[in-house]
Amino acid sequence: MQPTLQNGAFPIVDAAPQSAARAVPAAERKPLFGMEAAALAEVAAEFGGARYRAQQLEHALYRQWVGSLDEIATLPLRFREQLAEAGYSVGLPEIKETYRSVDGTERYLIAGLDGQTVETVWMPGGDGAETTIEGAEGTSDAGDTGPADTRVAGARGSDTRGADSRGTSAPQRRATICVSSQIGCAVNCQFCLTAKMGIVRNLSAGEIAGQVVAVLKRQGVHLGRDRINLVFMGMGEPFLNYDAWIAAFRLLTGPVQLQPSRMTVSTSGIVPGIVRFAQEPVRPRLAISLNASNDTVREAVMPITRKWNTEAVIDAVRAVPLGPREKITFEYVLLGGVNDQLQHADEVIALVRGAGFPAYVNLIVWNPGPDVPYAQPEQTAVDAFQKRLIARGVTAYIRRPRGRDIYAACGQLKRTTT
Ligand code: SAH
Ligand code: SF4
């Protein structure tokens, strides 16, 4: 049965897909999704398969987005059976539930093989990274959204045409996908709902990249035509799961063929992670969650500041080599009465100017959540804050909240099911 999309925070449970590995309990299956080319070559070699078998597998996983071994028509039936008997499965994470916002944003609960779910958000029309870098002052991040995408319902289901299906005359679609890197988070920022979960576990590279592919497939995206941005800004701290995160990034920019320049990773300021990031030959854009204008306020709202203070974070960022027009983003969540006054704006201006690298500020109006003891800032304070930054030559945008009604907005991701 095909699920139907509905407005509002209403979960839509998918039918369980069939798989060649039916006989093996899910938790014992060995997922192929997440393996890079060398690992797939080893798997093929296990069964005496030639190198091109590994390439066929890679193509099926990362370009065709197959959901089961049965769908890999290029592989001989016997080879597929051998894979299944040995416990291998495709292992593409499954979308278990979908919540759709009135603004067109969709939030998904996506399950790995152990059944644990993680959150991923689809924001149609969004063009966060680009509007913020090239646009004029104003709103940013998924900012120029028109009406909700009406073609979503038709694009859903078990269609596996994936990236290889070209030549469609449909207009180009734009969207931003917000990706999680961990289940929960250990960083404990006081204003963030994900923090309330604590850290449950790290996600694997396959689970991180798999969120993206599961959503591309669900949305019927055509990569040759559509403009897809990724932001690693979902649940968790990417730089506390660095190895898996960078492996996922390599899959997404390698065989999945997404553009690194359309991706942004956000960190709360994990200095060893920033140091490693600075040495990557290929990397996404970088966003730093600043969220306070001095260390005293930052320690109160982000206790991680005691480990790496603002100066240490900015110092580490100085080592990141930037492209010709690239800028660092400073995210700044405005908390009513805590960090939203003009004196704070002046401190932010001094920080950004003193940083010595090109940067701009993304102001985020705090999204409320149960048991989080903060207040939303007054609209006048938000406007005055942005005006002050711009007047002193610091580029500043206000990030429009997306999907608040379905708990999909920044800092609201905590596997809410109602
Ligand atoms: N852990 C990473 C990335 C995920 S959080 C990080 O902290 O950077 C993504 C962004 O959402 C961060 O900039 C964070 O400061 C912001 N955020 C967290 N909780 C929020 C809330 N309740 N309202 C608005 N923004 C929030
Ligand atoms: Fe973790 Fe980011 Fe939330 Fe802080 S803001 S608790 S680092 S997810």
Side-chain angles (χ1 to χ4, degrees):
M1 189 189 79
Q2 289 298 311
T4 351
L5 273 177
Q6 302 181 29
N7 281 338
F10 204 84
I12 300 138
V13 182
D14 284 343
Q18 297 298 303
S19 158
R22 277 180 285 277
V24 185
E28 291 161 32
R29 278 187 237 147
K30 295 182 267 185
L32 295 166
F33 196 97
M35 291 187 185
E36 33 102 48
L40 291 174
E42 277 176 30
V43 171
E46 243 182 81
F47 308 104
R51 191 157 187 94
Y52 72 89
R53 292 276 175 240
Q55 285 161 357
Q56 286 170 326
L57 263 177
E58 190 181 32
H59 191 266
L61 294 170
Y62 302 121
R63 300 290 295 153
Q64 291 179 302
W65 311 333
V66 296
S68 74
L69 293 172
D70 302 327
E71 291 172 32
I72 314 182
T74 49
L75 296 180
L77 180 61
R78 183 68 204 125
F79 184 53
R80 281 181 269 159
E81 283 171 355
Q82 284 172 325
L83 285 173
E85 283 158 14
Y88 288 104
S89 66
V90 164
L92 178 64
E94 283 173 35
I95 295 180
K96 291 291 186 194
E97 287 182 5
T98 299
Y99 301 84
R100 188 168 214 227
S101 164
V102 287
D103 68 15
T105 299
E106 291 192 11
R107 177 169 70 94
Y108 307 106
L109 293 186
I110 299 187
L113 284 186
D114 68 355
Q116 291 259 18
T117 55
V118 74
E119 306 219 349
T120 313
V121 182
W122 163 268
M123 294 171 278
D127 209 358
E130 290 205 338
T131 352
T132 44
I133 285 153
E134 288 159 12
E137 287 85 4
T139 56
S140 77
D141 224 14
D144 60 340
T145 323
D149 193 325
T150 48
R151 285 175 297 111
V152 171
R156 300 171 80 241
S158 58
D159 178 5
T160 55
R161 288 167 304 159
D164 280 353
S165 178
R166 299 272 163 79
T168 166
S169 59
Q172 183 192 56
R173 299 167 78 199
R174 293 178 178 210
T176 300
I177 302 175
C178 180
V179 186
S180 294
S181 53
Q182 298 180 306
I183 303 184
C185 186
V187 179
N188 198 23
C189 302
Q190 299 295 295
F191 49 82
C192 173
L193 247 74
T194 306
K196 299 268 169 211
M197 292 176 70
I199 177 76
V200 179
R201 70 166 170 87
N202 277 335
L203 294 176
S204 68
E207 288 174 319
I208 298 171
Q211 292 167 61
V212 178
V213 167
V215 172
L216 294 174
K217 182 172 169 172
R218 159 67 56 101
Q219 292 291 340
V221 166
H222 296 264
L223 286 183
R225 177 198 68 201
D226 300 333
R227 266 173 52 158
I228 303 299
N229 295 307
L230 294 190
V231 291
F232 296 97
M233 297 186 185
M235 293 166 87
E237 169 49 60
F239 286 3
L240 287 180
N241 185 19
Y242 194 93
D243 289 335
W245 170 74
I246 196 76
F249 171 78
R250 288 191 190 121
L251 286 174
L252 292 167
T253 51
V256 179
Q257 297 184 10
L258 290 163
Q259 299 289 328
S261 60
R262 293 197 183 283
M263 301 184 191
T264 304
V265 65
S266 173
T267 179
S268 55
I270 308 298
V271 166
I274 301 171
V275 169
R276 283 186 71 181
F277 179 83
Q279 292 157 6
E280 298 293 347
V282 183
R283 47 177 186 74
R285 298 175 188 275
L286 181 63
I288 301 290
S289 294
L290 183 64
N291 296 342
S293 56
N294 61 56
D295 278 345
T296 311
V297 178
R298 200 168 190 270
E299 275 181 26
V301 298
M302 297 178 74
I304 190 86
T305 308
R306 280 183 227 126
K307 191 148 190 185
W308 297 291
N309 69 11
T310 310
E311 188 49 36
V313 172
I314 289 179
D315 221 34
V317 175
R318 287 194 183 105
V320 177
L322 299 182
R325 290 188 315 158
E326 192 179 348
K327 290 182 179 178
I328 299 291
T329 309
F330 283 113
E331 293 159 292
Y332 194 95
V333 178
L334 288 161
L335 304 161
V338 173
N339 66 357
D340 65 341
Q341 303 302 302
L342 288 181
Q343 84 229 33
H344 303 120
D346 289 340
E347 287 179 326
V348 169
I349 292 160
L351 276 175
V352 174
R353 284 191 177 160
F357 46 75
Y360 64 88
V361 176
N362 244 350
L363 299 170
I364 310 170
V365 175
W366 178 67
N367 293 308
D371 303 325
V372 191
Y374 288 101
Q376 287 195 277
E378 300 289 337
Q379 188 57 48
T380 48
V382 175
D383 294 341
F385 202 103
Q386 182 194 28
K387 270 214 181 80
R388 177 69 70 111
L389 262 56
I390 292 169
R392 304 276 160 94
V394 173
T395 308
Y397 305 91
I398 299 169
R399 189 189 290 174
R400 202 155 63 85
R402 299 293 305 265
R404 252 193 207 165
D405 55 334
I406 54 161
Y407 297 98
C410 286
Q412 292 191 310
L413 302 183
K414 60 148 202 143
R415 300 200 293 200
T416 310
T417 51
T418 53

